[in-house]
Amino acid sequence: ANGVQAARRDALISDLAPATSRSACFGFAQSMRKWGSFMGAGLSFFLMKASGNNYKLIFLMAATVSVASCLAFVFLVPAHVRPTHAAPAPAAAAGGAAGQEKQQQEQKPGFNLAKFWGDVKSMGPDFYRMLAVIAMYGMGHINESMLEARAIEVGFGKAESTLVVALLAFMIFLSAYPLGRLDDKYGPRVTFAVGMGALIAGNLTLLMSTTQPWAVFAACVFLGMHWAVIQGPLLSIVVGLAPANLRGTAFGIFYTVMALTAVAANSLYGSVWTAMGAPAAFTLSASLMAVSLLALPSMLPKQAQAAPKLKPA
């Protein structure tokens, strides 16, 4: 469900957000989502305690909230239509009837594979180079379920392990908007460095959890900052590199890459965890991010390296 709504939601935010504070707007939206996650995880903790770990009750509560949010979107969010600027079609005019027929085929409602593939290619090399950097960034991410598993592994109960998710969501809530403002002022190079450094610090803190169980919760402070970068500044980068009329497509590509990266990262760390233990998985994640941090200046496209020069009117 998230894959269906995320690209459209973020394209709408990018249309409505001022160019000079776009990262901050994405960060604010992420903060609001994570505030809901924090409240939901906290409520889940108390419900699990009160109901004796009744998972059916938890899922029913989650479904009820989802239905309520869907109704709120339908009835409370005003309709928005992106302004279109029809460009002249000299090829169609020069080609006569054949050119006009081709143009009509491209504008026909429904899925057109040839047009879709053309849109994908039209994103440009900088867009895909940036996606490679984003994928590299995502490969270091430790999944929330692994943090819960680690909490249980070091001695916390099932109900207490949900507090890991609550704390992680709360830290994203606190840091997403400030990191968005940071990106608007200094550009992605600084923001990426902060996110990678936070992930390295989080993994080093998790290594302490073998003898200090509280370190699992302390690591969430750093990991929350790392994840906040993905849902704020990175979305603004996608907007900046994609054509204005293809933002929905660009976000679809972005979320596809992030999903594939998550599958690869979870499979990698899960396999290492099973074979060699949790500390080995945390060490591998920190090592990948350290290498990525060193390679960052040479990998970012030139357009993404410079700080924004736009000034608010």
Side-chain angles (χ1 to χ4, degrees):
N2 187 58
V4 174
Q5 59 88 22
R8 293 152 182 82
R9 175 200 66 210
D10 294 332
L12 178 61
I13 293 173
S14 69
D15 283 348
L16 299 177
T20 52
S21 58
R22 188 177 287 135
S23 294
C25 290
F26 279 119
F28 180 76
Q30 174 67 354
S31 290
M32 293 299 97
R33 289 195 295 274
K34 287 305 176 180
W35 173 253
S37 298
F38 168 71
M39 296 297 292
L43 182 57
S44 296
F45 167 75
F46 290 111
L47 284 177
M48 289 181 72
K49 281 291 190 181
S51 65
N53 295 334
N54 187 340
Y55 284 97
K56 288 184 177 180
L57 177 63
I58 304 301
F59 290 134
L60 179 61
M61 179 195 72
T64 303
V65 173
S66 297
V67 171
S69 63
C70 183
L71 293 174
F73 179 82
V74 171
F75 293 106
L76 299 180
V77 177
H80 169 71
V81 178
R82 178 180 300 147
T84 57
H85 302 282
Q100 291 178 4
E101 182 178 354
K102 181 180 179 181
Q103 186 178 9
Q104 290 174 358
Q105 287 291 331
E106 291 179 349
Q107 295 177 349
K108 185 183 297 185
F111 181 74
N112 186 318
L113 181 60
K115 184 178 184 302
F116 170 75
W117 184 242
D119 290 343
V120 170
K121 292 190 294 184
S122 71
M123 295 294 173
D126 279 354
F127 176 82
Y128 289 106
R129 185 176 176 181
M130 193 69 220
L131 280 186
V133 178
I134 291 172
M136 179 180 67
Y137 183 86
M139 276 300 297
H141 180 65
I142 297 293
N143 189 274
E144 293 90 335
S145 60
M146 292 186 179
L147 294 178
E148 287 188 87
R150 182 58 174 171
I152 294 173
E153 191 175 66
V154 297
F156 294 101
K158 290 182 179 180
E160 286 76 12
S161 69
T162 62
L163 294 178
V164 171
V165 180
L167 180 57
L168 185 64
F170 186 68
M171 287 311 304
I172 298 174
F173 161 72
L174 289 180
S175 58
Y177 179 71
L179 284 172
R181 293 294 298 265
L182 182 74
D183 185 76
D184 286 326
K185 186 172 183 179
Y186 296 107
R189 187 171 181 175
V190 173
T191 313
F192 265 118
V194 170
M196 290 178 174
L199 180 57
I200 293 171
N203 280 309
L204 294 178
T205 306
L206 283 170
L207 289 174
M208 300 168 55
S209 62
T210 301
T211 57
Q212 304 290 338
W214 58 264
V216 176
F217 294 94
C220 291
V221 174
F222 300 107
L223 296 178
M225 293 180 63
H226 157 74
W227 194 244
V229 173
I230 291 181
Q231 288 294 334
L234 294 200
L235 294 176
S236 181
I237 294 171
V238 172
V239 175
L241 294 175
N245 64 317
L246 295 176
R247 286 174 180 169
T249 302
F251 283 122
I253 296 172
F254 167 79
Y255 281 112
T256 299
V257 170
M258 290 304 299
L260 294 175
T261 301
V263 171
N266 292 339
S267 300
L268 174 63
Y269 296 129
S271 299
V272 172
W273 187 319
T274 301
M276 304 173 65
F282 302 143
T283 301
L284 177 59
S285 173
S287 301
L288 285 175
M289 279 300 96
V291 172
S292 300
L293 185 58
L294 293 175
L296 183 64
S298 61
M299 292 191 65
L300 280 175
K302 290 183 179 180
Q303 183 179 344
Q305 288 193 33
K309 296 181 180 180
L310 291 173
K311 295 181 180 180

